[in-house]
Amino acid sequence: MAYALQQLINGITLGMIYGLIAVGYTMVYGIIGMINFAHGDVFMVGAYVGIIVLTAFSGMGLTAVPLGLLVALILAAGLCAIYGYTIERVAYRPLRGSFRLAPLISAIGMSILLENFVQTSQGAKERAIPSLIPGGITLMNENGFVVQLAWMQIAIVITTLVVLGIFTYLVTKTPLGRAMRAVEQDAKMAALLGIDTNRTISMTFVIGAALAAVAGIMFLLYYGVIDFYIGFDAGIKAFTAAVLGGIGSLPGAVLGGLLIGLIEAFWSGYATVAYKDVAVYSILAIVLMFMPTGLLGRNDVEKV
Amino acid sequence: MSKVLSLSGVSAFYGQIQALKSVDIDVNEGEIVTLIGANGAGKSTLMMTICGNPRARTGSIIYRGEDITNLPMHEIARRQIAQSPEGRRIFPRMSVEENLMMGSQVVKFADYDQQLGLMLELFPRLKERFGQRAGTMSGGEQQMLAIARALMSKPKLLMLDEPSLGLAPLIVKQIFSAIRKLNQEMGLTVLLVEQNAFQALRLAHRGYVLVNGAITMQGPGAELLARPEIRAAYLEGGH
């Protein structure tokens, strides 16, 4: 019981991070129908910006952790937004309207480019930071097994929820969000109504990249260790989360992320860590066999 | 009368297929102009070409003295040229309210409430469906929404592509009388594409006949209605 509770806590924390990244995949897929394989690497860049800022903070002798984190979050989100914008502008927009695989190949190219750029500029070795928010609450003690809810986990879950809340407001209530949904549903019609579709698509990349940057910092806080390759692994997991939840569906992406996090945590806890990815992808395969559009994906039945 | 829209020598292509062949059309301020023609004659293409997709490959499109031939689609829309396009193209996963909001994209926020009031008066059905997802409405309701959405932008030129398609005769009557009312009371300029040539020509001040992408006849609505070749091609066999 205690052990399961601990896995639940770990799984939710990890799942929230996957969910944040998955939102970026699903948004871009919804609006232009491509998988942005460089998205995971934008997440990795976010984590690196985080580690640079936090290291600089402690290097300057500043010990205010919340302030450092806030600065890291803002800088990472801003910088990654520029990355997202530029990637779309340089690598995807010129290929819009060409055959379907072209932007996909371009995306893989961008992914490799970013990985190598970070590898050469930041070094290939792992980088680590000490735990910034140590300690936590002891929830229960069952025969010597202590269930810990770390402050760090609370911070990650709260930050993620706040960011997702802002994001949901943006998509459902603001003119920009409406424009994004309109372009997603019928880009030509949106243009007929005066929406600048190129700008809307750019903004989608900007927002997705900023979310990925936040996820990158959360990942850094949670594990404390990053390297230039974390974007690949987390990216594929988050992509899986988006597909599991139903690609194109925003709530689906978060749900998918949580499920993947939980599957990983429980499989690692009860079976074997080595096979945790096998578990994740097997469940994906099974879900897709019975629900090809994912858990919350739609069947696109529309009245004609 | 000042010209709102003037097309000269406009041709357009879908790939290799020529859809419009050197089309000349004028629409004057305060006029209702109709385009009639068989399926595939290029009526919808003509409207979409005015809006910039597909682009006119030759010729020019002048709107209120400005050449809009090569402007981006959204820039053309921002000049308050509104279209209720073929197939309605409402946003199915948005509410009626949000669809109408999308229509008022190009006008000042202050105009939204006023236009909204007008539209809900014109189409009371939309008021009942206000919070409903547009994709779940009936075809006729979607058609009303598409027209209302186009009108939300306070258009200076309204283009309607087959507004009567799929609607019950009574509703068609309502829509046509609404168009007439907007034209007479507010001086709205309308370009109307219709399969229902009889009703369209009765409503319009002038009409053009499009055959295989080219204009073959033009004239005042009543005059076209009286011509035997028009009666034979578009009116016989019921309306």
Side-chain angles (χ1 to χ4, degrees), chain A residues 172 178-179 181-182 184-186 188-197 298 300 302-304, chain B residues 48 51 53 73-74 77-78 83 85 88-89 91-94 98 101-102 105-106 135 137 142 149:
Chain A
T172 55
R178 250 196 320 276
R181 284 180 291 139
E184 184 232 309
Q185 292 176 34
D186 187 342
K188 199 164 163 189
M189 189 62 228
L192 279 179
L193 293 171
I195 300 288
D196 185 343
T197 46
R298 36 162 207 277
D300 266 325
E302 272 152 31
K303 268 212 160 97
V304 187
Chain B
M48 288 307 292
C51 292
N53 185 330
M73 279 178 94
H74 64 271
R78 284 173 190 180
Q83 188 182 160
R88 303 183 289 259
R89 304 186 88 146
F91 299 112
R93 294 181 297 281
M94 282 191 185
E98 285 184 310
M101 282 177 165
M102 288 304 300
Q105 197 74 28
V106 300
M137 299 200 302
Q142 292 188 10
R149 182 180 60 184

mmCIF file of all heavy atoms in Angstrom, chain A residues 172 178-179 181-182 184-186 188-197 298 300 302-304, chain B residues 48 51 53 73-74 77-78 83 85 88-89 91-94 98 101-102 105-106 135 137 142 149:
data_model
loop_
_atom_site.group_PDB
_atom_site.id
_atom_site.type_symbol
_atom_site.label_atom_id
_atom_site.label_comp_id
_atom_site.label_asym_id
_atom_site.label_seq_id
_atom_site.Cartn_x
_atom_site.Cartn_y
_atom_site.Cartn_z
ATOM 1 N N THR A 172 -8.919 28.701 -24.801
ATOM 2 C CA THR A 172 -10.384 28.693 -24.839
ATOM 3 C C THR A 172 -11.002 30.085 -24.817
ATOM 4 O O THR A 172 -12.107 30.266 -25.302
ATOM 5 C CB THR A 172 -10.969 27.887 -23.668
ATOM 6 O OG1 THR A 172 -10.440 28.416 -22.440
ATOM 7 C CG2 THR A 172 -10.624 26.422 -23.775
ATOM 8 N N ARG A 178 -8.801 31.401 -30.040
ATOM 9 C CA ARG A 178 -9.876 31.155 -31.001
ATOM 10 C C ARG A 178 -9.306 31.047 -32.409
ATOM 11 O O ARG A 178 -9.695 30.172 -33.171
ATOM 12 C CB ARG A 178 -10.892 32.294 -30.943
ATOM 13 C CG ARG A 178 -12.227 31.894 -30.354
ATOM 14 C CD ARG A 178 -13.334 32.874 -30.626
ATOM 15 N NE ARG A 178 -12.962 34.255 -30.539
ATOM 16 C CZ ARG A 178 -12.904 34.972 -29.412
ATOM 17 N NH1 ARG A 178 -13.188 34.409 -28.264
ATOM 18 N NH2 ARG A 178 -12.564 36.235 -29.427
ATOM 19 N N ALA A 179 -8.375 31.948 -32.719
ATOM 20 C CA ALA A 179 -7.761 31.904 -34.051
ATOM 21 C C ALA A 179 -7.039 30.572 -34.244
ATOM 22 O O ALA A 179 -7.128 29.959 -35.312
ATOM 23 C CB ALA A 179 -6.797 33.070 -34.226
ATOM 24 N N ARG A 181 -7.710 27.689 -32.854
ATOM 25 C CA ARG A 181 -8.682 26.605 -33.065
ATOM 26 C C ARG A 181 -9.325 26.720 -34.441
ATOM 27 O O ARG A 181 -9.604 25.714 -35.092
ATOM 28 C CB ARG A 181 -9.739 26.627 -31.967
ATOM 29 C CG ARG A 181 -9.197 26.059 -30.651
ATOM 30 C CD ARG A 181 -10.238 26.092 -29.567
ATOM 31 N NE ARG A 181 -10.524 27.458 -29.162
ATOM 32 C CZ ARG A 181 -11.747 27.918 -28.912
ATOM 33 N NH1 ARG A 181 -12.784 27.128 -29.033
ATOM 34 N NH2 ARG A 181 -11.914 29.163 -28.538
ATOM 35 N N ALA A 182 -9.550 27.954 -34.876
ATOM 36 C CA ALA A 182 -10.160 28.144 -36.201
ATOM 37 C C ALA A 182 -9.228 27.625 -37.287
ATOM 38 O O ALA A 182 -9.658 26.910 -38.193
ATOM 39 C CB ALA A 182 -10.485 29.613 -36.433
ATOM 40 N N GLU A 184 -6.975 25.414 -36.962
ATOM 41 C CA GLU A 184 -6.925 23.962 -36.820
ATOM 42 C C GLU A 184 -8.119 23.310 -37.534
ATOM 43 O O GLU A 184 -7.975 22.296 -38.181
ATOM 44 C CB GLU A 184 -6.923 23.605 -35.323
ATOM 45 C CG GLU A 184 -6.770 22.139 -35.030
ATOM 46 C CD GLU A 184 -7.850 21.633 -34.108
ATOM 47 O OE1 GLU A 184 -8.064 22.243 -33.045
ATOM 48 O OE2 GLU A 184 -8.502 20.646 -34.458
ATOM 49 N N GLN A 185 -9.287 23.929 -37.415
ATOM 50 C CA GLN A 185 -10.487 23.306 -37.977
ATOM 51 C C GLN A 185 -10.639 23.573 -39.464
ATOM 52 O O GLN A 185 -11.154 22.728 -40.199
ATOM 53 C CB GLN A 185 -11.729 23.789 -37.219
ATOM 54 C CG GLN A 185 -11.761 23.269 -35.792
ATOM 55 C CD GLN A 185 -12.930 23.818 -34.982
ATOM 56 O OE1 GLN A 185 -14.005 24.046 -35.500
ATOM 57 N NE2 GLN A 185 -12.710 24.025 -33.700
ATOM 58 N N ASP A 186 -10.255 24.754 -39.932
ATOM 59 C CA ASP A 186 -10.405 25.080 -41.340
ATOM 60 C C ASP A 186 -9.555 26.317 -41.644
ATOM 61 O O ASP A 186 -10.009 27.451 -41.520
ATOM 62 C CB ASP A 186 -11.893 25.337 -41.650
ATOM 63 C CG ASP A 186 -12.148 25.517 -43.142
ATOM 64 O OD1 ASP A 186 -11.187 25.785 -43.894
ATOM 65 O OD2 ASP A 186 -13.312 25.380 -43.557
ATOM 66 N N LYS A 188 -8.366 27.625 -44.381
ATOM 67 C CA LYS A 188 -8.757 28.491 -45.479
ATOM 68 C C LYS A 188 -9.893 29.417 -45.052
ATOM 69 O O LYS A 188 -9.888 30.609 -45.356
ATOM 70 C CB LYS A 188 -9.196 27.615 -46.659
ATOM 71 C CG LYS A 188 -9.206 28.316 -47.986
ATOM 72 C CD LYS A 188 -9.258 27.239 -49.076
ATOM 73 C CE LYS A 188 -9.671 27.783 -50.410
ATOM 74 N NZ LYS A 188 -9.910 26.683 -51.366
ATOM 75 N N MET A 189 -10.842 28.841 -44.328
ATOM 76 C CA MET A 189 -11.965 29.656 -43.858
ATOM 77 C C MET A 189 -11.466 30.721 -42.883
ATOM 78 O O MET A 189 -11.924 31.865 -42.907
ATOM 79 C CB MET A 189 -13.012 28.765 -43.185
ATOM 80 C CG MET A 189 -14.307 29.489 -42.870
ATOM 81 S SD MET A 189 -15.166 30.111 -44.345
ATOM 82 C CE MET A 189 -15.526 31.793 -43.867
ATOM 83 N N ALA A 190 -10.536 30.359 -42.028
ATOM 84 C CA ALA A 190 -9.998 31.331 -41.077
ATOM 85 C C ALA A 190 -9.373 32.506 -41.831
ATOM 86 O O ALA A 190 -9.579 33.666 -41.475
ATOM 87 C CB ALA A 190 -8.966 30.665 -40.168
ATOM 88 N N ALA A 191 -8.660 32.198 -42.903
ATOM 89 C CA ALA A 191 -8.054 33.274 -43.700
ATOM 90 C C ALA A 191 -9.134 34.136 -44.347
ATOM 91 O O ALA A 191 -9.006 35.353 -44.414
ATOM 92 C CB ALA A 191 -7.134 32.679 -44.768
ATOM 93 N N LEU A 192 -10.223 33.497 -44.783
ATOM 94 C CA LEU A 192 -11.334 34.246 -45.387
ATOM 95 C C LEU A 192 -11.955 35.220 -44.389
ATOM 96 O O LEU A 192 -12.625 36.164 -44.767
ATOM 97 C CB LEU A 192 -12.436 33.293 -45.867
ATOM 98 C CG LEU A 192 -12.267 32.598 -47.207
ATOM 99 C CD1 LEU A 192 -13.460 31.694 -47.480
ATOM 100 C CD2 LEU A 192 -12.142 33.618 -48.323
ATOM 101 N N LEU A 193 -11.757 34.941 -43.107
ATOM 102 C CA LEU A 193 -12.326 35.819 -42.078
ATOM 103 C C LEU A 193 -11.295 36.822 -41.559
ATOM 104 O O LEU A 193 -11.559 37.544 -40.606
ATOM 105 C CB LEU A 193 -12.864 34.987 -40.915
ATOM 106 C CG LEU A 193 -14.074 34.108 -41.251
ATOM 107 C CD1 LEU A 193 -14.387 33.159 -40.113
ATOM 108 C CD2 LEU A 193 -15.287 34.959 -41.574
ATOM 109 N N GLY A 194 -10.134 36.839 -42.173
ATOM 110 C CA GLY A 194 -9.154 37.851 -41.793
ATOM 111 C C GLY A 194 -8.087 37.378 -40.819
ATOM 112 O O GLY A 194 -7.339 38.184 -40.277
ATOM 113 N N ILE A 195 -8.002 36.049 -40.595
ATOM 114 C CA ILE A 195 -6.955 35.540 -39.717
ATOM 115 C C ILE A 195 -5.663 35.365 -40.517
ATOM 116 O O ILE A 195 -5.673 34.748 -41.579
ATOM 117 C CB ILE A 195 -7.350 34.158 -39.138
ATOM 118 C CG1 ILE A 195 -8.647 34.249 -38.331
ATOM 119 C CG2 ILE A 195 -6.225 33.577 -38.293
ATOM 120 C CD1 ILE A 195 -8.519 34.935 -37.031
ATOM 121 N N ASP A 196 -4.584 35.885 -39.992
ATOM 122 C CA ASP A 196 -3.280 35.669 -40.598
ATOM 123 C C ASP A 196 -2.817 34.274 -40.174
ATOM 124 O O ASP A 196 -2.323 34.076 -39.076
ATOM 125 C CB ASP A 196 -2.311 36.755 -40.100
ATOM 126 C CG ASP A 196 -0.953 36.660 -40.780
ATOM 127 O OD1 ASP A 196 -0.656 35.607 -41.368
ATOM 128 O OD2 ASP A 196 -0.206 37.642 -40.705
ATOM 129 N N THR A 197 -3.002 33.297 -41.061
ATOM 130 C CA THR A 197 -2.764 31.914 -40.655
ATOM 131 C C THR A 197 -1.283 31.665 -40.362
ATOM 132 O O THR A 197 -0.959 30.925 -39.436
ATOM 133 C CB THR A 197 -3.246 30.911 -41.720
ATOM 134 O OG1 THR A 197 -2.793 31.360 -42.993
ATOM 135 C CG2 THR A 197 -4.745 30.823 -41.752
ATOM 136 N N ARG A 298 -10.940 12.359 -31.528
ATOM 137 C CA ARG A 298 -12.292 12.370 -32.071
ATOM 138 C C ARG A 298 -12.345 11.582 -33.362
ATOM 139 O O ARG A 298 -11.351 11.369 -34.035
ATOM 140 C CB ARG A 298 -12.783 13.787 -32.301
ATOM 141 C CG ARG A 298 -11.741 14.728 -32.763
ATOM 142 C CD ARG A 298 -12.272 15.943 -33.381
ATOM 143 N NE ARG A 298 -11.277 16.396 -34.307
ATOM 144 C CZ ARG A 298 -10.229 17.140 -33.936
ATOM 145 N NH1 ARG A 298 -10.091 17.522 -32.692
ATOM 146 N NH2 ARG A 298 -9.334 17.494 -34.816
ATOM 147 N N ASP A 300 -14.022 12.453 -35.928
ATOM 148 C CA ASP A 300 -14.291 13.337 -37.063
ATOM 149 C C ASP A 300 -15.572 13.009 -37.795
ATOM 150 O O ASP A 300 -15.590 12.811 -38.997
ATOM 151 C CB ASP A 300 -13.107 13.322 -38.043
ATOM 152 C CG ASP A 300 -12.161 14.465 -37.719
ATOM 153 O OD1 ASP A 300 -12.661 15.524 -37.315
ATOM 154 O OD2 ASP A 300 -10.940 14.277 -37.859
ATOM 155 N N GLU A 302 -18.652 14.686 -38.907
ATOM 156 C CA GLU A 302 -19.217 16.016 -39.004
ATOM 157 C C GLU A 302 -20.364 16.017 -39.991
ATOM 158 O O GLU A 302 -20.369 15.287 -40.961
ATOM 159 C CB GLU A 302 -18.128 17.020 -39.431
ATOM 160 C CG GLU A 302 -17.390 17.570 -38.245
ATOM 161 C CD GLU A 302 -15.974 17.972 -38.600
ATOM 162 O OE1 GLU A 302 -15.751 18.364 -39.749
ATOM 163 O OE2 GLU A 302 -15.108 17.878 -37.709
ATOM 164 N N LYS A 303 -21.312 16.859 -39.688
ATOM 165 C CA LYS A 303 -22.480 16.960 -40.572
ATOM 166 C C LYS A 303 -22.090 17.629 -41.882
ATOM 167 O O LYS A 303 -21.352 18.594 -41.890
ATOM 168 C CB LYS A 303 -23.546 17.806 -39.885
ATOM 169 C CG LYS A 303 -24.522 16.982 -39.090
ATOM 170 C CD LYS A 303 -25.881 17.664 -39.109
ATOM 171 C CE LYS A 303 -26.968 16.694 -38.764
ATOM 172 N NZ LYS A 303 -27.360 16.751 -37.379
ATOM 173 N N VAL A 304 -22.601 17.072 -42.959
ATOM 174 C CA VAL A 304 -22.322 17.690 -44.259
ATOM 175 C C VAL A 304 -23.601 18.330 -44.795
ATOM 176 O O VAL A 304 -24.674 17.816 -44.614
ATOM 177 C CB VAL A 304 -21.795 16.646 -45.267
ATOM 178 C CG1 VAL A 304 -21.355 17.342 -46.536
ATOM 179 C CG2 VAL A 304 -20.646 15.872 -44.656
ATOM 180 N N MET B 48 -13.855 32.616 -54.815
ATOM 181 C CA MET B 48 -12.635 32.335 -54.067
ATOM 182 C C MET B 48 -11.450 33.101 -54.668
ATOM 183 O O MET B 48 -10.551 33.522 -53.941
ATOM 184 C CB MET B 48 -12.346 30.823 -54.053
ATOM 185 C CG MET B 48 -13.275 30.005 -53.182
ATOM 186 S SD MET B 48 -13.405 30.593 -51.477
ATOM 187 C CE MET B 48 -11.760 30.226 -50.866
ATOM 188 N N CYS B 51 -11.197 36.400 -53.311
ATOM 189 C CA CYS B 51 -10.634 36.342 -51.956
ATOM 190 C C CYS B 51 -9.176 35.886 -51.933
ATOM 191 O O CYS B 51 -8.586 35.762 -50.864
ATOM 192 C CB CYS B 51 -11.465 35.416 -51.085
ATOM 193 S SG CYS B 51 -13.089 36.093 -50.756
ATOM 194 N N ASN B 53 -7.687 32.903 -53.276
ATOM 195 C CA ASN B 53 -7.305 31.492 -53.300
ATOM 196 C C ASN B 53 -8.318 30.704 -54.106
ATOM 197 O O ASN B 53 -9.418 30.512 -53.650
ATOM 198 C CB ASN B 53 -7.240 30.961 -51.866
ATOM 199 C CG ASN B 53 -6.736 29.539 -51.805
ATOM 200 O OD1 ASN B 53 -6.922 28.753 -52.726
ATOM 201 N ND2 ASN B 53 -6.114 29.195 -50.706
ATOM 202 N N MET B 73 -4.730 36.465 -48.427
ATOM 203 C CA MET B 73 -6.158 36.262 -48.169
ATOM 204 C C MET B 73 -6.661 37.085 -46.987
ATOM 205 O O MET B 73 -7.714 37.703 -47.048
ATOM 206 C CB MET B 73 -6.428 34.788 -47.872
ATOM 207 C CG MET B 73 -6.546 33.921 -49.084
ATOM 208 S SD MET B 73 -6.819 32.211 -48.564
ATOM 209 C CE MET B 73 -8.611 32.172 -48.608
ATOM 210 N N HIS B 74 -5.899 37.068 -45.878
ATOM 211 C CA HIS B 74 -6.427 37.745 -44.698
ATOM 212 C C HIS B 74 -6.447 39.258 -44.881
ATOM 213 O O HIS B 74 -7.286 39.940 -44.309
ATOM 214 C CB HIS B 74 -5.655 37.343 -43.447
ATOM 215 C CG HIS B 74 -4.219 37.758 -43.445
ATOM 216 N ND1 HIS B 74 -3.225 36.957 -43.965
ATOM 217 C CD2 HIS B 74 -3.617 38.868 -43.002
ATOM 218 C CE1 HIS B 74 -2.072 37.581 -43.846
ATOM 219 N NE2 HIS B 74 -2.277 38.741 -43.257
ATOM 220 N N ALA B 77 -9.625 39.994 -46.691
ATOM 221 C CA ALA B 77 -10.754 39.904 -45.755
ATOM 222 C C ALA B 77 -10.820 41.145 -44.868
ATOM 223 O O ALA B 77 -11.899 41.621 -44.520
ATOM 224 C CB ALA B 77 -10.625 38.651 -44.903
ATOM 225 N N ARG B 78 -9.660 41.672 -44.499
ATOM 226 C CA ARG B 78 -9.631 42.829 -43.607
ATOM 227 C C ARG B 78 -10.148 44.094 -44.284
ATOM 228 O O ARG B 78 -10.389 45.088 -43.630
ATOM 229 C CB ARG B 78 -8.215 43.050 -43.068
ATOM 230 C CG ARG B 78 -7.890 42.034 -41.988
ATOM 231 C CD ARG B 78 -6.461 42.086 -41.533
ATOM 232 N NE ARG B 78 -6.205 40.922 -40.686
ATOM 233 C CZ ARG B 78 -5.034 40.668 -40.125
ATOM 234 N NH1 ARG B 78 -4.026 41.488 -40.304
ATOM 235 N NH2 ARG B 78 -4.880 39.592 -39.369
ATOM 236 N N GLN B 83 -17.329 36.511 -47.147
ATOM 237 C CA GLN B 83 -17.872 35.455 -47.973
ATOM 238 C C GLN B 83 -18.519 34.372 -47.128
ATOM 239 O O GLN B 83 -17.973 33.953 -46.108
ATOM 240 C CB GLN B 83 -16.758 34.828 -48.822
ATOM 241 C CG GLN B 83 -17.337 33.848 -49.828
ATOM 242 C CD GLN B 83 -16.316 33.136 -50.689
ATOM 243 O OE1 GLN B 83 -16.628 32.111 -51.246
ATOM 244 N NE2 GLN B 83 -15.114 33.678 -50.819
ATOM 245 N N PRO B 85 -19.024 30.860 -47.862
ATOM 246 C CA PRO B 85 -18.525 30.068 -48.988
ATOM 247 C C PRO B 85 -19.332 28.805 -49.256
ATOM 248 O O PRO B 85 -20.203 28.421 -48.477
ATOM 249 C CB PRO B 85 -17.114 29.709 -48.536
ATOM 250 C CG PRO B 85 -17.221 29.628 -47.056
ATOM 251 C CD PRO B 85 -18.270 30.608 -46.640
ATOM 252 N N ARG B 88 -20.504 25.940 -46.728
ATOM 253 C CA ARG B 88 -20.729 26.625 -45.448
ATOM 254 C C ARG B 88 -19.471 26.862 -44.639
ATOM 255 O O ARG B 88 -19.222 27.940 -44.152
ATOM 256 C CB ARG B 88 -21.759 25.891 -44.578
ATOM 257 C CG ARG B 88 -23.071 25.713 -45.279
ATOM 258 C CD ARG B 88 -24.066 25.058 -44.369
ATOM 259 N NE ARG B 88 -23.789 23.691 -44.122
ATOM 260 C CZ ARG B 88 -24.408 22.673 -44.724
ATOM 261 N NH1 ARG B 88 -25.351 22.928 -45.601
ATOM 262 N NH2 ARG B 88 -24.106 21.436 -44.444
ATOM 263 N N ARG B 89 -18.687 25.803 -44.451
ATOM 264 C CA ARG B 89 -17.411 25.912 -43.750
ATOM 265 C C ARG B 89 -17.510 26.628 -42.399
ATOM 266 O O ARG B 89 -16.676 27.450 -42.060
ATOM 267 C CB ARG B 89 -16.367 26.608 -44.621
ATOM 268 C CG ARG B 89 -16.187 25.920 -45.936
ATOM 269 C CD ARG B 89 -15.062 26.525 -46.704
ATOM 270 N NE ARG B 89 -13.809 25.869 -46.337
ATOM 271 C CZ ARG B 89 -12.816 25.668 -47.202
ATOM 272 N NH1 ARG B 89 -12.921 26.092 -48.429
ATOM 273 N NH2 ARG B 89 -11.724 25.080 -46.803
ATOM 274 N N PHE B 91 -17.101 26.535 -38.342
ATOM 275 C CA PHE B 91 -16.135 25.808 -37.521
ATOM 276 C C PHE B 91 -16.913 24.828 -36.649
ATOM 277 O O PHE B 91 -17.597 25.234 -35.716
ATOM 278 C CB PHE B 91 -15.319 26.772 -36.676
ATOM 279 C CG PHE B 91 -14.524 27.739 -37.503
ATOM 280 C CD1 PHE B 91 -14.827 29.081 -37.515
ATOM 281 C CD2 PHE B 91 -13.477 27.291 -38.291
ATOM 282 C CE1 PHE B 91 -14.104 29.974 -38.296
ATOM 283 C CE2 PHE B 91 -12.752 28.173 -39.084
ATOM 284 C CZ PHE B 91 -13.072 29.505 -39.078
ATOM 285 N N PRO B 92 -16.833 23.523 -36.974
ATOM 286 C CA PRO B 92 -17.755 22.567 -36.351
ATOM 287 C C PRO B 92 -17.547 22.393 -34.845
ATOM 288 O O PRO B 92 -18.502 22.149 -34.129
ATOM 289 C CB PRO B 92 -17.466 21.259 -37.098
ATOM 290 C CG PRO B 92 -16.094 21.434 -37.667
ATOM 291 C CD PRO B 92 -15.945 22.894 -37.952
ATOM 292 N N ARG B 93 -16.310 22.540 -34.379
ATOM 293 C CA ARG B 93 -16.059 22.313 -32.953
ATOM 294 C C ARG B 93 -16.000 23.621 -32.181
ATOM 295 O O ARG B 93 -15.366 23.701 -31.136
ATOM 296 C CB ARG B 93 -14.778 21.487 -32.776
ATOM 297 C CG ARG B 93 -14.933 20.075 -33.329
ATOM 298 C CD ARG B 93 -13.703 19.233 -33.138
ATOM 299 N NE ARG B 93 -12.547 19.754 -33.854
ATOM 300 C CZ ARG B 93 -12.353 19.592 -35.167
ATOM 301 N NH1 ARG B 93 -13.226 18.946 -35.893
ATOM 302 N NH2 ARG B 93 -11.290 20.090 -35.743
ATOM 303 N N MET B 94 -16.658 24.621 -32.708
ATOM 304 C CA MET B 94 -16.807 25.871 -31.958
ATOM 305 C C MET B 94 -18.293 26.110 -31.761
ATOM 306 O O MET B 94 -19.117 25.647 -32.555
ATOM 307 C CB MET B 94 -16.225 27.033 -32.741
ATOM 308 C CG MET B 94 -14.730 27.133 -32.696
ATOM 309 S SD MET B 94 -14.268 28.725 -33.404
ATOM 310 C CE MET B 94 -12.507 28.547 -33.386
ATOM 311 N N GLU B 98 -18.926 31.466 -30.769
ATOM 312 C CA GLU B 98 -17.534 31.619 -31.200
ATOM 313 C C GLU B 98 -17.417 31.759 -32.714
ATOM 314 O O GLU B 98 -16.578 32.508 -33.212
ATOM 315 C CB GLU B 98 -16.706 30.412 -30.734
ATOM 316 C CG GLU B 98 -16.407 30.445 -29.261
ATOM 317 C CD GLU B 98 -15.519 29.294 -28.841
ATOM 318 O OE1 GLU B 98 -15.835 28.139 -29.191
ATOM 319 O OE2 GLU B 98 -14.512 29.540 -28.171
ATOM 320 N N MET B 101 -18.106 35.252 -33.360
ATOM 321 C CA MET B 101 -16.949 36.059 -32.958
ATOM 322 C C MET B 101 -15.876 36.028 -34.032
ATOM 323 O O MET B 101 -15.248 37.043 -34.339
ATOM 324 C CB MET B 101 -16.342 35.516 -31.667
ATOM 325 C CG MET B 101 -17.090 35.892 -30.417
ATOM 326 S SD MET B 101 -16.271 35.080 -29.027
ATOM 327 C CE MET B 101 -16.990 36.009 -27.687
ATOM 328 N N MET B 102 -15.667 34.840 -34.601
ATOM 329 C CA MET B 102 -14.664 34.725 -35.666
ATOM 330 C C MET B 102 -15.037 35.629 -36.838
ATOM 331 O O MET B 102 -14.167 36.191 -37.495
ATOM 332 C CB MET B 102 -14.572 33.277 -36.166
ATOM 333 C CG MET B 102 -13.912 32.310 -35.221
ATOM 334 S SD MET B 102 -12.266 32.809 -34.738
ATOM 335 C CE MET B 102 -11.453 32.846 -36.333
ATOM 336 N N GLN B 105 -13.916 39.298 -36.574
ATOM 337 C CA GLN B 105 -12.472 39.446 -36.445
ATOM 338 C C GLN B 105 -11.917 40.768 -36.971
ATOM 339 O O GLN B 105 -11.023 41.354 -36.392
ATOM 340 C CB GLN B 105 -11.840 38.297 -37.256
ATOM 341 C CG GLN B 105 -10.431 38.008 -36.969
ATOM 342 C CD GLN B 105 -10.282 37.314 -35.642
ATOM 343 O OE1 GLN B 105 -11.178 36.627 -35.188
ATOM 344 N NE2 GLN B 105 -9.153 37.517 -34.994
ATOM 345 N N VAL B 106 -12.490 41.230 -38.093
ATOM 346 C CA VAL B 106 -11.875 42.378 -38.771
ATOM 347 C C VAL B 106 -12.471 43.724 -38.350
ATOM 348 O O VAL B 106 -12.033 44.759 -38.807
ATOM 349 C CB VAL B 106 -11.983 42.247 -40.309
ATOM 350 C CG1 VAL B 106 -11.278 40.997 -40.781
ATOM 351 C CG2 VAL B 106 -13.439 42.215 -40.753
ATOM 352 N N GLY B 135 -21.136 22.204 -35.247
ATOM 353 C CA GLY B 135 -21.144 20.977 -36.040
ATOM 354 C C GLY B 135 -22.326 20.069 -35.745
ATOM 355 O O GLY B 135 -22.621 19.162 -36.516
ATOM 356 N N MET B 137 -25.413 21.136 -35.456
ATOM 357 C CA MET B 137 -26.667 21.727 -35.917
ATOM 358 C C MET B 137 -27.088 21.147 -37.263
ATOM 359 O O MET B 137 -26.288 20.544 -37.970
ATOM 360 C CB MET B 137 -26.508 23.244 -36.059
ATOM 361 C CG MET B 137 -26.167 23.945 -34.763
ATOM 362 S SD MET B 137 -26.536 25.698 -34.834
ATOM 363 C CE MET B 137 -25.550 26.214 -36.208
ATOM 364 N N GLN B 142 -26.793 25.569 -40.040
ATOM 365 C CA GLN B 142 -25.392 25.875 -40.353
ATOM 366 C C GLN B 142 -25.306 26.921 -41.462
ATOM 367 O O GLN B 142 -24.447 27.791 -41.430
ATOM 368 C CB GLN B 142 -24.653 24.605 -40.783
ATOM 369 C CG GLN B 142 -24.474 23.612 -39.653
ATOM 370 C CD GLN B 142 -23.570 22.459 -40.036
ATOM 371 O OE1 GLN B 142 -22.921 22.471 -41.070
ATOM 372 N NE2 GLN B 142 -23.516 21.451 -39.188
ATOM 373 N N ARG B 149 -22.277 34.790 -39.910
ATOM 374 C CA ARG B 149 -20.851 34.987 -39.649
ATOM 375 C C ARG B 149 -20.246 35.959 -40.657
ATOM 376 O O ARG B 149 -19.451 36.845 -40.290
ATOM 377 C CB ARG B 149 -20.126 33.635 -39.718
ATOM 378 C CG ARG B 149 -18.645 33.724 -39.417
ATOM 379 C CD ARG B 149 -17.981 32.379 -39.497
ATOM 380 N NE ARG B 149 -18.112 31.790 -40.835
ATOM 381 C CZ ARG B 149 -17.693 30.584 -41.172
ATOM 382 N NH1 ARG B 149 -17.133 29.810 -40.265
ATOM 383 N NH2 ARG B 149 -17.850 30.123 -42.390
#
